Amino acid sequence: GISCTAPTRHPHHRYRETVDCGRTRVPFGEITRIITGMIEEYPGSSYHLLRRNCCTFADDFLVRLGLAGVPGWVHRLARLGANLDTAMRAAQ
């Protein structure tokens, strides 16, 4: 699920680096509305390590802010794992 913490301060995560994704022109009130809507779309029960994770949320959020989204390299390992998982399931 979605929770609020200061950037890079979540107690259960280790941060590698900050990625500058640009600046939005979306007004603060609209950002609040976007996040409120996303709380319903991203319940904790929908989390999946490879297919629906914090990077998925961040990418969706950035796009809704009118930005390009998360750089491809951020998703690379999860995407590789998801593809491997799909192939293994298909082989069974």
Side-chain angles (χ1 to χ4, degrees), residues 2-84:
I2 297 174
S3 62
C4 287
T5 59
T8 71
R9 299 290 182 237
H10 194 281
H12 303 295
H13 297 280
R14 174 178 242 159
Y15 294 89
R16 179 173 167 223
E17 66 183 277
T18 298
V19 178
D20 184 355
C21 295
R23 298 207 179 269
T24 185
R25 293 179 183 241
V26 175
F28 182 77
E30 180 66 10
I31 293 171
T32 301
R33 189 195 65 73
I34 290 169
I35 292 172
T36 300
M38 292 181 82
I39 288 171
E40 300 296 322
E41 296 173 38
Y42 286 86
S45 61
S46 74
Y47 181 86
H48 187 280
L49 181 63
L50 301 175
R51 293 185 170 84
R52 189 168 171 91
N53 54 44
C54 56
C55 294
T56 309
F57 169 81
D59 188 61
D60 188 6
F61 185 47
L62 288 170
V63 169
R64 292 178 195 215
L65 293 177
L67 301 169
V70 172
W73 65 264
V74 173
H75 288 287
R76 191 171 299 137
L77 185 59
R79 194 170 45 243
L80 177 64
N83 289 340
L84 181 60

